Amino acid sequence: MQKKIMSQTFRFLLFSFFLISTSVFSQKTNSPILNSFSDRVFKGEGYQPIGDLKWKFKTEGKIFSSPITKNGTVYIGSEDGYFYALDEKTGKEKWKFKTNGAVHSSPSIYENTIYFGSFDGYYYAVNLTTGKQLWKFKTGGEHWYQEAGILGLKPHDMVMDELWDFYLSSPVVYKNNKSTLVIFGSSDGNVYAVDAKKGNLNWKFKTNAAVHSTPVINKNTLYIGSWDADLYALNCDTGKEKWKFETQKKVGFKGIQSSVAVANGMVYLSARDPYIFAVDAETGKLEWKYDAENSWILSTAVILNNILYVGTSDTYALLALDSKTGKELSRFETKGYVYGTPAIAGNTAYFGDFTGNFFALNLLSSGKEFSSISTESRKENAAKILKDDKLDAVYAAKGADLSLYSENKKVMDEFYKLGSIVSSPFISNKTVYFGSADGYLYAYHLQKSK
């Protein structure tokens, strides 16, 4: 109990309290639209542990983007400013596309075009095969979420980046009888819908803060959260608001970074507030909420067989909740924050944690059967950074004053040396792919099902 209190106290100091389709479903590789964030349930049988390393590809920056595959190619963005296309079998580069900013957005594919955003302030449409730019759309500017003296850190008059705001919004594709739109959020507070072929603006919707959440579309309704702590339901054709759901706006727990899951007429929302909510998809009326024990939820929920799976921050866990009632069914404890969205194939959930561990968990074993591997950086640096093999920022700070923003940033830089995993995995051809803060995209074989 004391350890848990210390972890939460540390978070208070450290922060001064410091994707996508109609619903969650099994991935269909012949689908004309692939969205790397929302297609989180893949084909598979039984329990498939992690096998040996197939290959790894080194970029020159941290990887927060999530991979996607199509027609034998893996696509991924990097903080080095490039978007990469790699051979799925060998990991060799086919092409790379240069932007003028970090690529923290995850891609979506429609026909022969791949879409993604960059911190240079543009969202891009690039030919899937050649890597040639088709168009780019300029937003009002992309950046980490910022506030003066964020969450009370010193100096109070300094505009600071939110150190845990890893992602940019990832574009999703919406097709109706008249047009095909690419829809995404922006750091300028807008949600944009642009023509998929030409990049011309169709509509935009203004929220009250940066929008780094990735939209999720169900029928003709788009659901997206904002750093203003509200979840919006918008008409996909017009951008008009249908309803909004407000989460708490108290210091330290304000904001929505995750995407939603939609199933059985419900929208499931993870928030920093810190709760997991189930609201009616048509009305936004609250059905239930789960208290996440002062733990931010940045992970997007995945639903399978009426069970909701989602990662947590301070409680270092992957939770399983009853999607109808919100009752906790089980939890699997890791060594650090679980921020990425799990991928599920057969009876197995695949996900990483902030210490650089990557897990394959048998969902039928109540957390008793799992396999794991570590990033190269974790193997090298864990003994120097972790306390008893677990994330502990007070320990990593080595007595520094954590009320100062500069000291918080130093601690984050130490954590990144573990090869932290906030990239969400993707599964294709009996291989799981995920990115790491050590700059590698990893490809691991999956063992035969048990």
Side-chain angles (χ1 to χ4, degrees), residues 405-446:
Y405 179 78
S406 59
E407 297 301 330
N408 285 271
K409 195 171 185 308
K410 289 178 182 178
V411 170
M412 283 297 291
D413 290 338
E414 284 296 296
F415 284 168
Y416 285 139
K417 293 177 183 178
L418 297 165
S420 303
I421 300 170
V422 298
S423 171
S424 299
F426 197 89
I427 299 170
S428 176
N429 294 323
K430 300 179 181 179
T431 305
V432 61
Y433 302 90
F434 63 91
S436 166
D438 64 11
Y440 281 102
L441 174 65
Y442 291 89
Y444 273 88
H445 292 289
L446 299 180

Short mmCIF file of all heavy atoms in Angstrom, two decimals, residues 405-446:
data_model
loop_
_atom_site.label_atom_id
_atom_site.label_comp_id
_atom_site.label_asym_id
_atom_site.label_seq_id
_atom_site.Cartn_x
_atom_site.Cartn_y
_atom_site.Cartn_z
N TYR A 405 10.04 21.83 -13.82
CA TYR A 405 9.78 21.21 -15.12
C TYR A 405 11.05 20.60 -15.71
O TYR A 405 11.03 19.50 -16.25
CB TYR A 405 9.21 22.25 -16.08
CG TYR A 405 8.93 21.73 -17.47
CD1 TYR A 405 7.79 20.97 -17.72
CD2 TYR A 405 9.81 21.97 -18.53
CE1 TYR A 405 7.52 20.49 -18.99
CE2 TYR A 405 9.55 21.49 -19.79
CZ TYR A 405 8.41 20.75 -20.02
OH TYR A 405 8.15 20.26 -21.28
N SER A 406 12.17 21.28 -15.58
CA SER A 406 13.43 20.80 -16.15
C SER A 406 13.83 19.45 -15.58
O SER A 406 14.36 18.59 -16.30
CB SER A 406 14.54 21.82 -15.93
OG SER A 406 14.73 22.07 -14.54
N GLU A 407 13.57 19.23 -14.29
CA GLU A 407 13.92 17.96 -13.67
C GLU A 407 12.96 16.85 -14.11
O GLU A 407 13.36 15.70 -14.26
CB GLU A 407 13.92 18.08 -12.15
CG GLU A 407 14.95 19.06 -11.60
CD GLU A 407 16.38 18.67 -11.99
OE1 GLU A 407 16.66 17.46 -12.16
OE2 GLU A 407 17.22 19.58 -12.13
N ASN A 408 11.71 17.20 -14.33
CA ASN A 408 10.76 16.23 -14.87
C ASN A 408 11.20 15.74 -16.24
O ASN A 408 11.13 14.55 -16.55
CB ASN A 408 9.37 16.86 -14.98
CG ASN A 408 8.68 17.00 -13.66
OD1 ASN A 408 7.99 16.10 -13.21
ND2 ASN A 408 8.85 18.14 -13.01
N LYS A 409 11.67 16.69 -17.05
CA LYS A 409 12.10 16.33 -18.40
C LYS A 409 13.32 15.41 -18.36
O LYS A 409 13.44 14.47 -19.16
CB LYS A 409 12.41 17.58 -19.21
CG LYS A 409 12.53 17.33 -20.71
CD LYS A 409 12.62 18.63 -21.49
CE LYS A 409 12.61 18.36 -22.98
NZ LYS A 409 13.59 17.37 -23.42
N LYS A 410 14.22 15.64 -17.42
CA LYS A 410 15.39 14.77 -17.28
C LYS A 410 14.96 13.34 -16.91
O LYS A 410 15.53 12.36 -17.41
CB LYS A 410 16.33 15.32 -16.22
CG LYS A 410 17.07 16.59 -16.64
CD LYS A 410 17.94 17.10 -15.50
CE LYS A 410 18.65 18.39 -15.88
NZ LYS A 410 19.47 18.92 -14.76
N VAL A 411 13.97 13.23 -16.02
CA VAL A 411 13.48 11.91 -15.65
C VAL A 411 12.86 11.20 -16.85
O VAL A 411 13.08 10.01 -17.07
CB VAL A 411 12.46 12.01 -14.49
CG1 VAL A 411 11.75 10.68 -14.26
CG2 VAL A 411 13.17 12.45 -13.22
N MET A 412 12.10 11.95 -17.64
CA MET A 412 11.50 11.36 -18.84
C MET A 412 12.59 10.86 -19.80
O MET A 412 12.47 9.78 -20.38
CB MET A 412 10.63 12.37 -19.56
CG MET A 412 9.28 12.57 -18.90
SD MET A 412 8.26 11.07 -18.90
CE MET A 412 7.90 10.91 -20.62
N ASP A 413 13.64 11.64 -19.95
CA ASP A 413 14.74 11.22 -20.82
C ASP A 413 15.40 9.94 -20.31
O ASP A 413 15.84 9.10 -21.09
CB ASP A 413 15.77 12.34 -20.95
CG ASP A 413 15.26 13.53 -21.76
OD1 ASP A 413 14.30 13.34 -22.54
OD2 ASP A 413 15.80 14.65 -21.59
N GLU A 414 15.47 9.80 -18.98
CA GLU A 414 15.98 8.56 -18.41
C GLU A 414 15.06 7.39 -18.73
O GLU A 414 15.51 6.31 -19.12
CB GLU A 414 16.13 8.70 -16.89
CG GLU A 414 17.32 9.52 -16.44
CD GLU A 414 18.63 8.85 -16.84
OE1 GLU A 414 18.92 7.74 -16.34
OE2 GLU A 414 19.36 9.44 -17.65
N PHE A 415 13.77 7.60 -18.58
CA PHE A 415 12.81 6.54 -18.87
C PHE A 415 12.90 6.07 -20.32
O PHE A 415 12.82 4.89 -20.63
CB PHE A 415 11.39 7.02 -18.58
CG PHE A 415 11.05 7.07 -17.11
CD1 PHE A 415 9.91 7.72 -16.69
CD2 PHE A 415 11.86 6.48 -16.15
CE1 PHE A 415 9.57 7.77 -15.34
CE2 PHE A 415 11.54 6.52 -14.81
CZ PHE A 415 10.39 7.18 -14.40
N TYR A 416 13.06 7.04 -21.22
CA TYR A 416 13.13 6.69 -22.64
C TYR A 416 14.31 5.79 -22.96
O TYR A 416 14.30 5.06 -23.96
CB TYR A 416 13.19 7.96 -23.50
CG TYR A 416 11.87 8.69 -23.63
CD1 TYR A 416 11.83 10.08 -23.57
CD2 TYR A 416 10.67 8.00 -23.83
CE1 TYR A 416 10.63 10.77 -23.69
CE2 TYR A 416 9.47 8.69 -23.95
CZ TYR A 416 9.46 10.06 -23.88
OH TYR A 416 8.26 10.74 -24.01
N LYS A 417 15.35 5.84 -22.12
CA LYS A 417 16.51 4.98 -22.33
C LYS A 417 16.17 3.50 -22.15
O LYS A 417 16.96 2.62 -22.51
CB LYS A 417 17.64 5.37 -21.37
CG LYS A 417 18.25 6.73 -21.63
CD LYS A 417 19.30 7.07 -20.59
CE LYS A 417 19.88 8.46 -20.81
NZ LYS A 417 20.88 8.81 -19.77
N LEU A 418 14.99 3.22 -21.61
CA LEU A 418 14.53 1.84 -21.46
C LEU A 418 13.93 1.28 -22.75
O LEU A 418 13.64 0.09 -22.84
CB LEU A 418 13.48 1.75 -20.36
CG LEU A 418 13.93 2.12 -18.95
CD1 LEU A 418 12.73 2.36 -18.05
CD2 LEU A 418 14.82 1.01 -18.39
N GLY A 419 13.74 2.16 -23.74
CA GLY A 419 13.02 1.73 -24.94
C GLY A 419 11.53 1.62 -24.66
O GLY A 419 10.88 0.64 -25.04
N SER A 420 10.99 2.62 -24.00
CA SER A 420 9.58 2.63 -23.61
C SER A 420 8.69 2.33 -24.82
O SER A 420 8.96 2.78 -25.94
CB SER A 420 9.20 3.99 -23.04
OG SER A 420 10.02 4.32 -21.95
N ILE A 421 7.62 1.56 -24.57
CA ILE A 421 6.71 1.17 -25.65
C ILE A 421 5.37 1.86 -25.44
O ILE A 421 4.63 1.55 -24.51
CB ILE A 421 6.51 -0.36 -25.69
CG1 ILE A 421 7.86 -1.06 -25.91
CG2 ILE A 421 5.52 -0.74 -26.80
CD1 ILE A 421 7.79 -2.56 -25.73
N VAL A 422 5.07 2.85 -26.28
CA VAL A 422 3.75 3.48 -26.32
C VAL A 422 3.10 3.29 -27.68
O VAL A 422 1.95 3.65 -27.89
CB VAL A 422 3.82 4.98 -25.95
CG1 VAL A 422 4.33 5.15 -24.55
CG2 VAL A 422 4.69 5.75 -26.93
N SER A 423 3.85 2.71 -28.60
CA SER A 423 3.33 2.31 -29.91
C SER A 423 2.41 1.10 -29.72
O SER A 423 2.69 0.21 -28.92
CB SER A 423 4.51 1.94 -30.82
OG SER A 423 4.08 1.34 -32.02
N SER A 424 1.29 1.09 -30.44
CA SER A 424 0.35 -0.03 -30.35
C SER A 424 0.71 -1.10 -31.38
O SER A 424 0.99 -0.78 -32.53
CB SER A 424 -1.07 0.46 -30.58
OG SER A 424 -1.44 1.41 -29.61
N PRO A 425 0.71 -2.37 -30.98
CA PRO A 425 1.16 -3.43 -31.90
C PRO A 425 0.16 -3.72 -33.02
O PRO A 425 -1.04 -3.45 -32.90
CB PRO A 425 1.31 -4.64 -30.97
CG PRO A 425 0.39 -4.36 -29.83
CD PRO A 425 0.38 -2.87 -29.65
N PHE A 426 0.69 -4.30 -34.08
CA PHE A 426 -0.10 -4.73 -35.23
C PHE A 426 0.33 -6.15 -35.58
O PHE A 426 1.52 -6.48 -35.51
CB PHE A 426 0.13 -3.81 -36.44
CG PHE A 426 -0.91 -3.93 -37.51
CD1 PHE A 426 -2.06 -3.15 -37.49
CD2 PHE A 426 -0.76 -4.84 -38.56
CE1 PHE A 426 -3.02 -3.25 -38.47
CE2 PHE A 426 -1.71 -4.95 -39.55
CZ PHE A 426 -2.85 -4.16 -39.51
N ILE A 427 -0.63 -6.99 -35.96
CA ILE A 427 -0.35 -8.41 -36.22
C ILE A 427 -0.65 -8.74 -37.67
O ILE A 427 -1.71 -8.39 -38.20
CB ILE A 427 -1.19 -9.30 -35.28
CG1 ILE A 427 -0.83 -9.02 -33.83
CG2 ILE A 427 -0.96 -10.78 -35.60
CD1 ILE A 427 -1.75 -9.66 -32.83
N SER A 428 0.28 -9.41 -38.32
CA SER A 428 0.12 -9.81 -39.71
C SER A 428 1.02 -11.01 -40.00
O SER A 428 2.19 -11.02 -39.61
CB SER A 428 0.49 -8.65 -40.65
OG SER A 428 0.42 -9.04 -42.00
N ASN A 429 0.45 -12.03 -40.66
CA ASN A 429 1.23 -13.19 -41.09
C ASN A 429 2.06 -13.80 -39.96
O ASN A 429 3.26 -14.03 -40.08
CB ASN A 429 2.14 -12.81 -42.27
CG ASN A 429 1.35 -12.44 -43.51
OD1 ASN A 429 0.32 -13.04 -43.79
ND2 ASN A 429 1.83 -11.44 -44.24
N LYS A 430 1.38 -14.04 -38.82
CA LYS A 430 1.98 -14.71 -37.66
C LYS A 430 3.18 -13.94 -37.11
O LYS A 430 4.12 -14.52 -36.56
CB LYS A 430 2.38 -16.14 -38.02
CG LYS A 430 1.20 -17.00 -38.46
CD LYS A 430 1.63 -18.40 -38.84
CE LYS A 430 0.43 -19.23 -39.30
NZ LYS A 430 0.82 -20.60 -39.70
N THR A 431 3.12 -12.62 -37.27
CA THR A 431 4.17 -11.73 -36.77
C THR A 431 3.53 -10.56 -36.05
O THR A 431 2.51 -10.03 -36.51
CB THR A 431 5.05 -11.22 -37.91
OG1 THR A 431 5.58 -12.32 -38.65
CG2 THR A 431 6.18 -10.35 -37.40
N VAL A 432 4.11 -10.13 -34.93
CA VAL A 432 3.64 -8.95 -34.25
C VAL A 432 4.68 -7.84 -34.42
O VAL A 432 5.89 -8.08 -34.28
CB VAL A 432 3.35 -9.22 -32.75
CG1 VAL A 432 4.59 -9.67 -31.99
CG2 VAL A 432 2.70 -8.01 -32.10
N TYR A 433 4.21 -6.64 -34.75
CA TYR A 433 5.07 -5.48 -34.99
C TYR A 433 4.76 -4.40 -33.96
O TYR A 433 3.59 -4.13 -33.66
CB TYR A 433 4.83 -4.91 -36.39
CG TYR A 433 5.05 -5.90 -37.51
CD1 TYR A 433 4.00 -6.70 -37.98
CD2 TYR A 433 6.31 -6.05 -38.09
CE1 TYR A 433 4.19 -7.60 -39.00
CE2 TYR A 433 6.51 -6.97 -39.12
CZ TYR A 433 5.45 -7.74 -39.57
OH TYR A 433 5.65 -8.64 -40.58
N PHE A 434 5.79 -3.75 -33.42
CA PHE A 434 5.59 -2.62 -32.52
C PHE A 434 6.82 -1.73 -32.53
O PHE A 434 7.93 -2.17 -32.77
CB PHE A 434 5.29 -3.10 -31.09
CG PHE A 434 6.40 -3.87 -30.44
CD1 PHE A 434 7.37 -3.23 -29.69
CD2 PHE A 434 6.48 -5.24 -30.58
CE1 PHE A 434 8.40 -3.94 -29.09
CE2 PHE A 434 7.51 -5.97 -29.98
CZ PHE A 434 8.47 -5.31 -29.24
N GLY A 435 6.59 -0.44 -32.26
CA GLY A 435 7.68 0.52 -32.20
C GLY A 435 8.10 0.79 -30.77
O GLY A 435 7.39 0.47 -29.82
N SER A 436 9.28 1.41 -30.60
CA SER A 436 9.83 1.67 -29.28
C SER A 436 10.52 3.03 -29.26
O SER A 436 10.96 3.54 -30.29
CB SER A 436 10.84 0.57 -28.92
OG SER A 436 11.64 0.95 -27.81
N ALA A 437 10.62 3.60 -28.06
CA ALA A 437 11.33 4.86 -27.91
C ALA A 437 12.82 4.73 -28.16
O ALA A 437 13.53 5.73 -28.26
CB ALA A 437 11.09 5.44 -26.51
N ASP A 438 13.34 3.49 -28.28
CA ASP A 438 14.75 3.33 -28.64
C ASP A 438 14.97 3.48 -30.14
O ASP A 438 16.09 3.35 -30.62
CB ASP A 438 15.31 2.00 -28.13
CG ASP A 438 14.65 0.77 -28.76
OD1 ASP A 438 13.90 0.91 -29.75
OD2 ASP A 438 14.88 -0.34 -28.25
N GLY A 439 13.89 3.79 -30.89
CA GLY A 439 14.01 4.05 -32.32
C GLY A 439 13.81 2.84 -33.19
O GLY A 439 13.80 2.97 -34.42
N TYR A 440 13.63 1.67 -32.61
CA TYR A 440 13.47 0.45 -33.40
C TYR A 440 12.00 0.13 -33.66
O TYR A 440 11.14 0.33 -32.78
CB TYR A 440 14.08 -0.75 -32.67
CG TYR A 440 15.57 -0.87 -32.78
CD1 TYR A 440 16.39 -0.49 -31.71
CD2 TYR A 440 16.18 -1.36 -33.94
CE1 TYR A 440 17.78 -0.61 -31.80
CE2 TYR A 440 17.56 -1.47 -34.03
CZ TYR A 440 18.35 -1.09 -32.95
OH TYR A 440 19.72 -1.21 -33.05
N LEU A 441 11.74 -0.38 -34.83
CA LEU A 441 10.52 -1.12 -35.11
C LEU A 441 10.88 -2.59 -35.01
O LEU A 441 11.76 -3.06 -35.73
CB LEU A 441 9.96 -0.80 -36.50
CG LEU A 441 8.75 -1.64 -36.92
CD1 LEU A 441 7.54 -1.35 -36.04
CD2 LEU A 441 8.42 -1.42 -38.39
N TYR A 442 10.21 -3.30 -34.10
CA TYR A 442 10.50 -4.71 -33.87
C TYR A 442 9.47 -5.59 -34.57
O TYR A 442 8.28 -5.28 -34.59
CB TYR A 442 10.46 -5.03 -32.37
CG TYR A 442 11.59 -4.41 -31.57
CD1 TYR A 442 11.46 -3.14 -31.02
CD2 TYR A 442 12.78 -5.10 -31.36
CE1 TYR A 442 12.48 -2.57 -30.27
CE2 TYR A 442 13.81 -4.55 -30.61
CZ TYR A 442 13.66 -3.28 -30.07
OH TYR A 442 14.68 -2.73 -29.33
N ALA A 443 9.94 -6.71 -35.10
CA ALA A 443 9.07 -7.73 -35.69
C ALA A 443 9.41 -9.06 -35.04
O ALA A 443 10.54 -9.55 -35.16
CB ALA A 443 9.27 -7.81 -37.20
N TYR A 444 8.44 -9.65 -34.33
CA TYR A 444 8.64 -10.92 -33.65
C TYR A 444 7.69 -11.98 -34.21
O TYR A 444 6.50 -11.72 -34.39
CB TYR A 444 8.40 -10.79 -32.14
CG TYR A 444 9.62 -10.35 -31.37
CD1 TYR A 444 9.89 -9.00 -31.20
CD2 TYR A 444 10.49 -11.28 -30.82
CE1 TYR A 444 11.02 -8.59 -30.49
CE2 TYR A 444 11.62 -10.89 -30.12
CZ TYR A 444 11.88 -9.54 -29.96
OH TYR A 444 13.00 -9.14 -29.26
N HIS A 445 8.25 -13.17 -34.47
CA HIS A 445 7.41 -14.31 -34.82
C HIS A 445 6.49 -14.66 -33.66
O HIS A 445 6.84 -14.46 -32.50
CB HIS A 445 8.26 -15.53 -35.14
CG HIS A 445 9.07 -15.40 -36.39
ND1 HIS A 445 8.51 -15.43 -37.65
CD2 HIS A 445 10.42 -15.28 -36.59
CE1 HIS A 445 9.45 -15.31 -38.56
NE2 HIS A 445 10.63 -15.21 -37.95
N LEU A 446 5.32 -15.17 -33.97
CA LEU A 446 4.43 -15.71 -32.97
C LEU A 446 4.52 -17.24 -33.01
O LEU A 446 4.55 -17.84 -34.09
CB LEU A 446 3.00 -15.27 -33.20
CG LEU A 446 2.76 -13.76 -33.15
CD1 LEU A 446 1.28 -13.45 -33.39
CD2 LEU A 446 3.22 -13.18 -31.81
#
